[in-house]
Amino acid sequence: MNRPIAALAVAGALLAQPALAAEGSLVLYTSQPQTDAQQTIDAFKAEHPDVDISFVRDGTPKIMAKLRAELEAGAPQADLILIADAVTMEGLKRDDALMAYPGADVAAYPEGTHDPEKYWFATKLITTGIVYNDAAPFVPASWEDLLKPEAKGMIAMPSPLASGAALIHLQTLTGNLPQGWGYYEGLAENGAVAEGGNGGVLKAVAGGEKLYGMIVDFMPIREKAKGAPVTFVFPEEGVSAVTEPVAILKSTDNPDAAKAFVDFLLSEKGQELAAAQGYVPADPSVAAPEGYPARAEIKVLPFDPAAALAAEEENRARFETIFQK
Amino acid sequence: MIAARPVRRPSGLREGRLGPGLLFTLVLVLAGLPVARLLAQALGGMDGAMALLLAPASLEAAWHSIESALFSTLLAMLLGGGMAVLLGLSDLPQRRAIGILFVLSMLIAPQVTALAFTVMAGPASPLLNALGLAPAAGTPNPLIGRGGVVLVLGLHHAPLVTILLLAGLKTIPDELAEAASLGGAGTGAILRRIVLPLLYPQIIAAMLLAFVAGFGNFGIPALLGMPAGYLTLPTLIFRRLVGSGAEVIDEAAILSMLMAILVLVPAGAAAAVLASTATRRSSERPLRRFWRLGPWRPAASAAAWAVVGIVLFLPLCSLLASALAPTYGARLTLNSATLGHFAEVLWRQDVTVRAFRNSFAFAGGAALVLALVAVPLAHALDRAPGRVRGFLLPLVELPYALPGIVLAIACILLFVKPLPLLGISIYATPWIILFAYAARFLPIVLKAPLAAMAQLERAQEEAAAVDGAGPWARLRHVVLPALWPAMAAGGLLAFLLAFNELTVSALLWTAGTETLGVVLFSLEEAGLVSEASAVALSATAVVALLVVVIDRLGDRLPEGTLPWRF
């Protein structure tokens, strides 16, 4: 075989690969704990071995600060974001930072779990409820129980300045509990500590330094299975919920691979992985993992995303004045 | 640390100016540029400066920084001073082992020590639980908050005090103690009337340097202070910057200037005090260990070992227990112990594996570059006119004397816009971290070659010059052979410090350039305490291995190069 023909043969072999095979590199900004983010990426890579994907992990507000600084500098590092809540996604959509993915297959998902214009897609249902250490003097059943004198100085909670879920939780509870902001003032008076994100709450309650906490469901449910002395409670009034949506950034230079990643998260396999990691999958046909009540029994408190987006800064500032003296 | 200034002799050689000129430009770029940029920013943003500095949050953080540095200095002086007296003046058994282990505890990264103490002290402590001593659930962790910050800073910096005081003891002539002893003075009297007054400069310098180290520390108040809302200036700046992004960089610059001023006064004073004693040569016959412990020997030995246990073995054991436990808070038993967290961080997690690679690359790259320029630079500095030396030597020290967070802010300011002429930006690339490391650790690498240079006989070089050897030939054949062990040790020490580093990279990292310090901190924040402990232990194992390698070079180095040899 002479050289030009050999070259043609090689080119032909390359062209013969399926046209949609994703390749190249991707950067994911996420608020998932490191171990979960790594598992998600590993599972995606098993299906798309030619995509080189890496992630950066931090709490939603911090990862957003990083992303916004990069957007302003005109050099966003991320191709994809997978963060706590849809309100933040709405903010990015409003600022024209996201790319729509009209081809995404959302047949399995009820309306409201994704953006109607397909800019972002829910991947899970993560609720915030109460965690207690098994050595605690009483078992909490209601949000009101955290105001009891027996819990004084024994409460840890995530700060909305460090956690996206905590901000939604704040907006949900103040909008639904009869005392509104008074509830958070009561928590502060009862000595609740709000420093850092949900990971810090888990550490404090699992470590027995605090006995009660507000926390996202999957952390204590998962750690309990590994032997940590913690139990998660769905309070009787109901819980707040976020959906850990994924979105593609408009600035990505690898939209095909990014779409493949979204496809993977929304696929049955991706949803089963979420369940295996201890999350309630967003796809209602995929069963929730052990440790959760039936989906229909989880009472999610109502929440107004538009109002939340408008009042975001104000709510954070008000929280700060209550909790940081 | 402040390098001892070698005694200057008049130069007999006249050289071309190109080589030294280039080298001095390098110093100006590495050390001068970031500091000048920070100064310009802070002066430019003066309008709101007073309001910001007087804001309650800034004042409170400044006070926390000062009080934690002060109280931790007291603790470090007590502990480090006691150790110095026992090691340097008494007939304590197993002195050498105790001394080495005590000083090595300083080489464990501050964030690693802090993590070890948090997991050791709370109700979930695997160690205390195994002994049945753990506080009841619901008891706050006694080490979270001010007390913990002060205690761990004090323990961490005590060896620094010991090193300085031991060096000071070596300059006291034995004749004085002997004469006093013949005159009937007891051990206590010699200590009080002879040793203490002569050691006064080193005591002052040790206090000032322990204060500076405590004031600028980030890892310890980040892990022990922030969870309780006890913010110091470095953690306040860090929290503002990661919380709000680049828009608060002006604020950060002004707070950084405040920190720089609060640090440079004591650091400068310490340098001046040490310089004033530098003319005093090591005594011909240094002080003997005149303090016979007699019946107190077992008690003193037990106390010294207890201190080593607290600063070195206890933290390492507590990290090991926490890394082996199935999850934080779960009981560690023979059956529940798992190596899974080590497998997770050393093989499975791309981020932690990458962080090991990055820390090796950044620390190794910076150390290599610095080691390569160290010999010609030490040579050029030694031969430079007094005025040039007087300006450049303190400038070289600046990026190390300043708190890491201040240097990081200076680097952000310097590189956030594309470089002039080149039009490319090194912000958010590995190069910004490499630059910062090179600036920060230049004085560490330069210290030993400078000291060795001062000892080098100039006659050799002059003889080579008479034989017609040019400056580079002389550098290669005369200076380099004499200085290479010092260069290698300096490079390895810089590697050690950079490998452990968190403060600078905490602000400069981006996707793909995470360092070990950064992933440890981020795992801890995400509540993955067992994984963080596994990272901490693995990184410490690398450090321990390196110490052994560096120690092998020890016999060929000028005295005082290796902190754990005395």
Side-chain angles (χ1 to χ4, degrees), chain B residues 77-386:
Chain B
M77 289 306 292
L78 278 177
L79 207 61
M83 271 303 216
V85 169
L86 273 181
L87 293 172
L89 297 178
S90 83
D91 58 345
L92 185 76
Q94 298 153 321
R95 269 190 312 274
R96 204 176 130 67
I98 291 173
I100 290 176
L101 293 174
F102 183 60
V103 169
L104 286 187
S105 76
M106 191 176 66
L107 295 177
I108 301 179
Q111 66 274 15
V112 169
T113 311
L115 177 69
F117 277 92
T118 56
V119 299
M120 180 169 69
S125 160
L127 275 186
L128 296 181
N129 272 310
L131 298 171
L133 292 174
T139 318
N141 188 331
L143 292 188
I144 300 282
R146 176 172 60 182
V149 173
V150 168
L151 176 76
V152 177
L153 279 176
L155 293 177
H156 193 66
H157 294 136
L160 179 72
V161 173
T162 307
I163 293 169
L164 284 163
L165 295 189
L166 280 175
L169 285 176
K170 284 197 174 154
T171 65
I172 300 176
D174 192 46
E175 291 83 347
L176 292 176
E178 209 180 308
S181 169
L182 286 176
T187 307
I190 302 179
L191 262 181
R192 256 195 331 274
R193 302 225 187 98
I194 296 179
V195 175
L196 220 60
L198 284 173
L199 206 56
Y200 200 56
Q202 279 82 10
I203 293 176
I204 298 286
M207 275 172 79
L208 291 168
L209 289 179
F211 177 87
V212 167
F215 186 86
N217 191 292
F218 172 75
I220 291 170
L223 265 76
L224 297 174
M226 281 204 303
Y230 183 79
L231 294 184
T232 59
L233 281 174
T235 50
L236 176 78
I237 294 175
F238 173 78
R239 188 176 262 199
R240 291 252 172 97
L241 269 179
V242 295
S244 314
E247 61 200 74
V248 293
I249 193 79
D250 289 338
E251 261 182 46
I254 290 167
L255 288 173
S256 297
M257 279 312 291
L258 173 69
M259 286 194 75
I261 293 165
L262 286 172
V263 150
L264 288 181
V265 172
V273 171
L274 283 179
S276 74
T277 64
T279 45
R280 211 163 73 195
R281 289 283 106 199
S282 277
S283 161
E284 288 276 297
R285 201 146 55 84
L287 208 52
R288 265 175 311 165
R289 305 176 200 285
F290 59 82
W291 185 12
R292 304 264 158 258
L293 289 168
W296 294 104
R297 241 176 140 219
S301 172
W305 277 111
V307 170
V308 170
I310 290 172
V311 297
L312 188 67
F313 295 125
L314 214 55
L316 291 181
C317 288
S318 111
L319 281 179
L320 185 65
S322 145
L324 293 179
T327 179
Y328 186 62
R331 197 49 68 104
L332 173 66
T333 64
L334 276 181
N335 288 328
S336 71
T338 169
L339 288 173
H341 303 302
F342 283 99
E344 174 80 22
V345 299
L346 294 177
W347 283 279
R348 246 186 46 73
Q349 280 265 331
D350 285 347
V351 186
T352 46
V353 174
R354 190 163 66 220
F356 269 98
R357 222 168 40 222
N358 285 343
S359 279
F360 266 111
F362 297 149
L368 191 69
V369 170
L370 292 177
L372 286 179
V373 298
V375 170
L377 185 56
H379 181 259
L381 279 170
D382 192 69
R383 300 291 192 260

Side-chain angles (χ1 to χ4, degrees), chain A residues 27 29 33-35 38-39 42 45 54-58 61-62 65-66 69-70 77 133 135 154 193 195-196 199-200 202-203 206-209 211 219 223 226-229 324-325, chain B residues 118 122-124 137-141 226-229 239 242-246 326-330 344 348-351 354 428 509-511 514 522-529 531:
Chain A
V27 175
Y29 277 15
Q34 287 88 340
T35 41
Q38 185 65 45
Q39 282 170 3
D42 288 348
K45 263 184 161 167
S54 60
F55 72 88
V56 177
R57 189 270 159 196
D58 215 329
K62 292 187 193 169
K66 201 173 179 68
E70 290 170 1
Q77 307 275 311
N133 186 297
M154 297 286 169
V193 172
E195 299 284 340
L202 175 69
K203 190 186 169 205
E209 291 158 22
L211 295 178
M219 281 188 179
E223 297 310 306
K226 288 192 220 159
Q324 279 155 15
K325 286 156 274 171
Chain B
T118 56
T139 318
N141 188 331
M226 281 204 303
R239 188 176 262 199
V242 295
S244 314
T327 179
Y328 186 62
E344 174 80 22
R348 246 186 46 73
Q349 280 265 331
D350 285 347
V351 186
R354 190 163 66 220
W509 72 277
T510 180
E514 305 87 347
S522 130
L523 285 170
E524 201 271 346
E525 263 202 322
L528 300 168
V529 182
E531 283 83 354

Side-chain angles (χ1 to χ4, degrees), chain A residues 128 158-171 184 198 216 242:
Chain A
T128 293
S159 162
L161 309 178
S163 154
L167 180 62
I168 303 294
H169 186 64
L170 165 87
Q171 288 159 337
Y184 273 77
N198 286 282
V216 287
V242 291

